[in-house]
Amino acid sequence: MSKQWKPSVTLIATGIIIPDLHFGPFLRNWWHVRSLQENGMKVEQYYPFQIGMKTQVELKNRPFIIRIVQGNKHNNLLLGFFCESLSESNEEVENDPTSAISNLYKRIFQTETRFSGTLIMENQLSEEFHGSDPNSVWKKMGMLKEWLGETLFGLDNSNVKKKLEQLKKFVCFYNEWHDYSKMEQIFRYHLQKRTCSQVDWYLLFREWKENNCPIIELHSQLASLYPNGYIFSEREMRAWRAILRATGCINITPFDKEESEYEFWTRSSDPESDKAMINMLYQNGFLRTIPSNMFNATEVFWKSFEHSLSLNKRGANGKQRILSIIADKFPYKELQTRLHVIIL
């Protein structure tokens, strides 16, 4: 298997953040999301596509520079990409970096080779800087010293300040859960219009606060608040997750929802220890319907059934027969998945 091409990329201009674009109606287009795994947990990092940002890569001993601009073929509020190499450049602004560099490369070298524009626009993290505020962090970097960190990060922008002040009204922490008026504000902002009006939403927080255990399993807790058989929409679940985050809770689930229905949250001030404990239980098979070290009658049945079927000689027409008294109790899809057979 061939290795993935990893270009040597140079950042030659950082560009700027424009609040009306990066925090406007098309903000999802102006940010690149990179997913990582840290301590068994999925972590997402967000990087802005800044106006005027330039990256350079060398292809066939020739420099290619991709620049981010405002506006593309479809919308003037979306980002566009423009590539240039020496005296050559794109004939028009492209909608994505792959098209920008590949189309110019094709015109120069008369080849159909395509390059990943995303790889060329990305920059690998080489060093981390930590501080108590944006200004101290930026000062440690030792570059563009005439600028303040809060200016470069857009934090002194009036629109950003206004948004941050608004968000402060809808955030609290575990030690403030007793303040019903504040909690109700958060409920109205995140959840009220997305769930049934009869639910006693505050009960979850009252009982959780009184419980010595800082961890809950979200779905089982919600089931106790709603009528039997209540079906949650994905929109409703997103709202519940939003209110949990707004009240200082952290999702510490160590697996994707496709793997298990369990979803663990903690209110602890030290979520890393809770995360490590849940991950340890998961790795040792205790967060499954039946732990891996216990007898699983269902799995034994299916494996025995499959083994018996493999020993069963095929009939004259080349087909195997499954005892109808058993087969009739299961849907076709289940039989196909469990027994690796084709149902005719």
Side-chain angles (χ1 to χ4, degrees):
M1 182 181 294
S2 60
K3 294 183 178 179
Q4 184 183 28
W5 176 65
K6 293 183 178 180
S8 177
V9 180
T10 302
L11 178 67
I12 58 178
T14 57
I16 59 173
I17 288 179
I18 298 180
D20 289 343
L21 298 176
H22 291 87
F23 304 102
F26 298 102
L27 66 88
R28 61 177 296 178
N29 300 93
W30 286 95
W31 295 81
H32 172 62
V33 182
R34 183 186 296 170
S35 297
L36 304 172
Q37 288 289 333
E38 292 184 2
N39 299 322
M41 299 290 292
K42 183 179 179 181
V43 177
E44 291 186 341
Q45 297 178 342
Y46 292 80
Y47 299 87
F49 288 113
Q50 300 186 175
I51 295 290
M53 175 182 173
K54 293 182 181 180
T55 56
Q56 176 178 299
V57 64
E58 191 170 290
L59 304 172
K60 287 190 176 181
N61 298 318
R62 183 173 180 139
F64 284 78
I65 298 173
I66 298 182
R67 174 163 49 95
I68 296 177
V69 298
Q70 178 183 343
N72 60 30
K73 300 175 184 178
H74 299 310
N75 194 316
N76 193 47
L77 295 178
L78 295 176
L79 69 165
F81 298 87
F82 194 80
C83 186
E84 51 195 336
S85 177
L86 301 179
S87 60
E88 302 284 348
S89 64
N90 289 131
E91 295 178 350
E92 60 181 348
V93 174
E94 299 289 351
N95 297 336
D96 59 86
T98 296
S99 297
I101 189 169
S102 298
N103 289 345
L104 182 58
Y105 187 90
K106 176 183 177 180
R107 182 151 59 86
I108 294 173
F109 295 108
Q110 300 299 308
T111 176
E112 297 294 332
T113 303
R114 290 185 66 80
F115 298 93
S116 171
T118 303
L119 283 177
I120 295 173
M121 295 304 298
E122 284 187 350
N123 290 276
Q124 299 299 316
L125 182 66
S126 58
E127 191 172 358
E128 291 187 11
F129 298 90
H130 300 270
S132 58
D133 58 78
N135 292 335
S136 62
V137 171
W138 188 254
K139 187 176 180 180
K140 291 179 181 180
M141 294 182 66
M143 57 187 296
L144 299 176
K145 296 180 180 180
E146 67 274 19
W147 294 94
L148 293 175
E150 61 183 17
T151 301
L152 292 168
F153 299 143
L155 298 178
D156 62 353
N157 179 274
S158 59
N159 291 331
V160 175
K161 285 183 176 180
K162 185 177 179 180
K163 286 290 184 182
L164 291 175
E165 287 300 320
Q166 289 176 346
L167 289 174
K168 286 181 181 178
K169 299 177 182 178
F170 305 111
V171 175
C172 74
F173 297 96
Y174 168 65
N175 59 358
E176 300 175 285
W177 286 6
H178 65 278
D179 188 343
Y180 182 79
S181 61
K182 191 167 188 177
M183 293 288 286
E184 188 178 31
Q185 273 191 319
I186 298 173
F187 164 72
R188 289 177 177 175
Y189 184 78
H190 290 289
L191 186 61
Q192 185 175 35
K193 295 181 180 180
R194 297 169 177 83
T195 193
C196 64
S197 58
Q198 292 80 16
V199 65
D200 185 3
W201 62 273
Y202 192 49
L203 180 62
L204 181 144
F205 295 96
R206 290 203 311 269
E207 292 184 343
W208 195 359
K209 187 174 178 64
E210 295 170 0
N211 197 322
N212 291 328
C213 179
I215 301 173
I216 63 167
E217 197 289 304
L218 180 58
H219 294 275
S220 59
Q221 289 295 316
L222 293 183
S224 66
L225 301 179
Y226 290 81
N228 290 335
Y230 184 85
I231 299 176
F232 293 90
S233 67
E234 185 55 37
R235 181 171 179 262
E236 192 171 7
M237 289 304 301
R238 286 198 300 267
W240 267 108
R241 295 182 186 107
I243 195 174
L244 289 178
R245 286 191 292 268
T247 51
C249 305
I250 303 292
N251 186 341
I252 57 173
T253 310
F255 41 74
D256 295 329
K257 63 181 180 180
E258 290 79 10
E259 191 170 346
S260 175
E261 63 181 8
Y262 296 128
E263 188 172 332
F264 297 95
W265 289 74
T266 181
R267 56 171 168 77
S268 173
S269 58
D270 181 21
E272 291 302 319
S273 60
D274 289 344
K275 185 188 299 184
M277 180 183 67
I278 290 293
N279 189 51
M280 181 273 293
L281 292 173
Y282 166 67
Q283 295 296 337
N284 286 278
F286 290 103
L287 298 184
R288 303 171 188 170
T289 306
I290 300 177
S292 59
N293 64 331
M294 295 182 65
F295 179 74
N296 188 335
T298 303
E299 285 299 317
V300 171
F301 167 77
W302 282 111
K303 287 180 180 178
S304 299
F305 196 174
E306 183 182 10
H307 180 63
S308 299
L309 191 61
S310 67
L311 297 178
N312 180 28
K313 293 183 178 180
R314 299 178 186 272
N317 59 358
K319 297 179 181 178
Q320 289 174 297
R321 265 67 178 177
I322 299 176
L323 191 61
S324 61
I325 195 171
I326 296 177
D328 288 346
K329 300 295 183 181
F330 297 93
Y332 284 171
K333 186 176 181 180
E334 183 78 2
L335 291 171
Q336 289 174 326
T337 301
R338 293 285 190 170
L339 302 179
H340 306 99
V341 297
I342 298 176
I343 307 297
L344 300 176

